[in-house]
């Protein structure tokens, strides 16, 4: 038995899912068809023999009524005919009382037992003159038994015909089951086949723009396989966005790195001929080289940070945003000495905490403050404010929650309506910012960090001029 199981497992492993599903569906339907045909055969056989037994019982009742006081004898001898009346004979309990004329039906010990009452009446199948017969043996008065027999040719022929007809029906059912199994496997696994073909096409072409064609219909009535195909299409959409973003990042990064790398090479080649330069020229080239190295280093660090999707869960901790804002503002004051920074923290926001990664949240605030200081004219302040407010919870829950808002406002030229839609895009720089230092990655990185922490970062034109950035924690 274990060898059969191993053979079955080996066969399942070597056959595709469509073949296994077709075989399983065909076997199930075929088993039902064969089972129904087998049950129908036994029912028909039982009913036909039951009808013959009823005829024998009626014939025995009539003979008993007509020969209740008769002695051992052959009552009717039409055993060779297919139709009634049945052949019948009366048999005594003692062989010594048998009549001189021979019996037509075989007399055995059970017949004598029925005559004496030691055995219940019974039906039996016999052969007489080469013809099949059905015989009833029952008791007739005291110490006598009555044997009644009818030919069963027609019944057995009907049973054979029914068996042949049901066999044909069963074979047709098996063939139909095979066809239905193939159709079910082909239809049911069609989305899987399309999914496989799409996955193979993507693997060969490396193009995630391909999609699986879905059957028409409302989403709520889709079957499991269609929902799988829908999920696969959704995954392909996410993959396409990721690949597109990656390609755009690489293209933009290569474009942004080309200019500073060229300048670095130029200054390095110039310093390689330092013996031909004056001291002032050497100092100016060395300073430019150091400045460009810092810019390239900052750009590479920004690209590395931007390429990180999100922090692992174990790095999260409870962060007090007020303390984080104070630290970021203090660092900005040291980095931008000509720009005054004001910080206002509402009392109800001073001790509020949120789960997050302190280093990344500090980087977010630093990018916002550096961006504001870069566009603020000398002497005009950058205003930072942290507030807390109660708001109704969205969704199915009830009650209210606490919202934290951190705003950074500068008094520079502000953000034009045309630039507002692209201010958080990677490497995007407005016309007013192209003359200023920077790579155009700071705000894109800030929004990415905000979304990784479940917050939302928005920008708008501030009243009275300047730009206003709002970081909201729900």
């Amino acid at each position: 038995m274990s060898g059969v199981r191993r053979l079955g497992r080996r066969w399942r492993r070597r056959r595709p899912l469509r073949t296994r599903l077709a075989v399983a569906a065909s076997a199930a339907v075929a088993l039902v068809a064969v089972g129904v045909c087998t049950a129908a055969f036994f029912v028909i056989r039982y009913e036909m023999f039951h009808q013959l037994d009823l005829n024998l019982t009626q014939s025995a009742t009539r003979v008993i009524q007509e020969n209740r006081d008769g002695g051992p004898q052959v009552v009717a001898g039409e055993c060779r005919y297919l139709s009634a009346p049945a052949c019948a004979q009366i048999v005594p309990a003692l062989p010594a009382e048998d009549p001189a004329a021979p019996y037509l039906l075989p007399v055995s010990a059970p017949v004598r037992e029925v005559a004496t009452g030691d055995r219940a009446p019974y039906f039996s199948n016999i052969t007489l003159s080469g013809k099949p017969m059905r015989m009833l043996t029952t008791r007739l008065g005291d110490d006598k038994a009555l044997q009644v027999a009818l030919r069963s040719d027609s019944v057995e022929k009907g049973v054979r015909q029914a068996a042949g007809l049901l066999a044909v029906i069963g074979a047709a059912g098996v063939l139909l089951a095979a066809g239905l199994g193939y159709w079910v496997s082909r239809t049911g696994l069609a989305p899987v086949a399309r999914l496989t073909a799409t996955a193979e096409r993507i693997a060969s072409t490396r193009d995630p723009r391909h999609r699986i064609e879905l059957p028409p219909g409302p989403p709520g009535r889709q079957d499991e396989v269609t929902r799988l195909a829908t999920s696969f299409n959704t995954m392909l959409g996410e993959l396409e966005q990721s690949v597109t973003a990656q390609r755009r990042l690489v293209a933009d990064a290569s474009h942004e790195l080309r200019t500073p790398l060229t300048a670095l090479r130029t200054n390095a080649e110039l310093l390689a001929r330092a013996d031909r330069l004056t001291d002032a020229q050497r100092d100016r080239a060395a300073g430019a080289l150091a400045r460009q190295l810092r810019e390239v280093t900052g750009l590479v660090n920004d690209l590395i940070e931007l390429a990180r999707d999100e922090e692992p869960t174990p790095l999260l901790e409870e962060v007090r945003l007020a303390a984080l804002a104070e630290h970021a503002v203090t660092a900005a004051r040291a980095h931008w000495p000509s720009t005054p920074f004001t910080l206002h923290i509402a009392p109800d926001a001073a001790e509020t905490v949120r789960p997050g990664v302190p280093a990344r949240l500090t980087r977010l605030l630093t990018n916002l403050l550096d961006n504001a200081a870069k566009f603020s004219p000398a002497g005009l302040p950058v205003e930072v404010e942290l507030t807390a407010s109660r708001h109704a919870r969205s969704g199915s829950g009830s009650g209210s929650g606490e919202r934290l808002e951190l705003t950074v406002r500068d008094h520079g030229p502000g953000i034009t309506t045309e630039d507002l839609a692209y201010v958080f895009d990677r490497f995007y720089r407005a016309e007013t910012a192209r003359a200023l230092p920077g790579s155009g990655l700071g705000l894109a990185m800030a929004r990415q960090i905000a979304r990784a922490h479940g917050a939302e970062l928005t920008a708008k034109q501030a009243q009275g001029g300047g730009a206003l950035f709002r970081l909201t924690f729900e």
Side-chain angles (χ1 to χ4, degrees), residues 29 104 188 197 260 362 391 417 438 451 466:
V29 178
L104 293 176
T362 300
H391 70 285
T417 305
R451 289 181 173 176

Side-chain angles (χ1 to χ4, degrees), residues 45-295:
R45 181 177 181 277
Y46 170 80
E47 289 296 332
M48 295 183 73
F49 275 101
H50 181 65
Q51 186 63 40
L52 182 60
D53 292 344
L54 289 178
N55 293 338
L56 286 173
T57 302
Q58 292 175 357
S59 298
T61 301
R62 186 171 58 254
V63 172
I64 290 173
Q65 291 175 352
E66 295 174 355
N67 301 275
R68 188 173 298 276
D69 298 327
Q73 59 178 317
V74 175
V75 178
E78 293 84 359
C79 294
R80 65 179 181 273
Y81 299 109
L82 284 172
S83 59
C87 60
Q89 63 187 25
I90 300 174
V91 180
L94 299 176
E97 299 178 1
D98 289 341
Y103 291 118
L104 293 176
L105 302 175
V107 178
S108 58
V111 178
R112 307 288 184 180
E113 294 174 358
V114 172
T116 58
D118 295 334
R119 186 186 178 103
Y122 65 93
F123 292 95
S124 58
N125 297 317
I126 63 173
T127 300
L128 188 63
S129 301
K131 304 295 182 181
M133 303 191 72
R134 182 76 167 170
M135 183 175 67
L136 169 63
T137 303
T138 185
R139 195 176 184 193
L140 177 63
D142 296 333
D143 298 330
K144 287 183 291 183
L146 173 64
Q147 292 178 287
V148 184
L150 282 173
R151 285 180 57 178
S152 59
D153 306 43
S154 58
V155 175
E156 293 188 356
K157 182 179 179 181
V159 170
R160 288 194 299 271
Q161 290 176 345
L165 182 61
L166 291 174
V168 172
I169 295 175
V174 171
L175 294 178
L176 179 62
L180 289 176
Y182 175 77
W183 178 80
V184 167
S185 65
R186 187 178 182 85
T187 304
L189 294 180
V192 177
R194 292 195 294 269
L195 187 151
T196 303
T198 303
E200 292 174 349
R201 192 181 307 117
I202 293 173
S204 61
T205 62
R206 298 181 180 273
D207 185 1
R209 292 177 296 178
H210 299 287
R211 296 293 184 272
I212 302 173
E213 296 183 5
L214 300 176
R221 297 183 179 178
Q222 293 177 347
D223 57 18
E224 289 80 0
V225 178
T226 305
R227 288 201 297 272
L228 173 63
T230 303
S231 301
F232 189 77
N233 281 344
T234 303
M235 182 189 69
L236 288 178
E238 297 293 335
L239 178 62
E240 181 182 3
Q241 293 180 2
S242 176
V243 171
T244 302
Q246 183 184 29
R247 290 173 178 172
R248 186 170 63 248
L249 176 63
V250 172
D252 292 343
S254 61
H255 175 74
E256 292 293 328
L257 285 170
R258 187 178 294 115
T259 300
L261 288 177
T262 302
L264 279 174
R265 185 176 61 183
T266 301
N267 287 313
E269 292 175 351
L270 185 62
L271 287 175
R273 297 191 297 270
D275 54 337
R276 303 178 185 179
L277 302 177
T278 65
D279 293 340
Q281 291 174 334
R282 278 197 304 271
D283 293 340
R284 190 164 51 251
L289 182 63
R291 184 175 61 256
Q292 290 157 359
L293 281 174
R294 287 195 299 269
E295 291 179 0

